[in-house]
Amino acid sequence: MDIMEIAEKSRDSANVKRVFGDPVQHGDVVVIPVAKIAYGGGGGMGQGEAEKGDSGSGSGLGYGVAATPAGVFVVKDGDVRWHPAVDVNRIVVGGQFVAVVLLLTLRALIKRRRRRRH
């Protein structure tokens, strides 16, 4: 596979169909799913000496695409509303961070009070 062929395939994977999904219609309500897309790639090549004195060369190429749900657009009676997707993992991690900060603050306050009493 050559570089131009890989570039063509990468362009196909990063199109608008990945961001906006196929609309779903039920009665007079149309739902359009939306995703957040991140993609990137890189490559390189180099030359060096092989073990037997021959010159060696090599090259490599990589590409990646990630999609996460962002939410949906709901179209009803000519009115468009945005409903974001809820990332429960992010909420849990944020809650854990707040809990740790709270516990460390409480610990510091308790230590301070104990020092003042003695």
Side-chain angles (χ1 to χ4, degrees):
M1 193 178 278
D2 68 339
I3 292 175
M4 292 309 291
E5 189 176 339
I6 292 173
E8 284 294 321
K9 288 188 179 194
S10 68
R11 186 172 356 129
D12 292 341
S13 68
N15 62 23
V16 76
K17 282 274 193 186
R18 295 236 186 224
V19 175
F20 296 101
D22 293 327
V24 178
Q25 185 170 4
H26 185 64
D28 63 338
V29 178
V30 178
V31 178
I32 304 169
V34 180
K36 181 179 176 182
I37 306 296
Y39 63 94
M45 59 188 319
Q47 294 183 356
E49 291 189 24
E51 290 183 21
K52 296 181 180 179
D54 298 329
S55 65
S57 64
S59 63
L61 182 68
Y63 184 79
V65 177
T68 55
V72 293
F73 283 111
V74 178
V75 182
K76 181 178 181 183
D77 298 328
D79 189 30
V80 179
R81 292 187 139 182
W82 170 251
H83 296 278
V86 176
D87 187 359
V88 178
N89 291 333
R90 185 176 278 180
I91 294 170
V92 169
V93 169
Q96 289 173 343
F97 178 75
V98 169
V100 167
V101 169
L102 179 65
L103 289 173
L104 290 173
T105 304
L106 286 173
R107 180 178 155 227
L109 289 173
I110 291 170
K111 280 185 171 184
R112 187 183 226 181
R113 279 191 171 185
R114 284 184 183 168
R115 285 185 199 156
R116 283 187 180 177
R117 286 186 183 172
H118 296 294

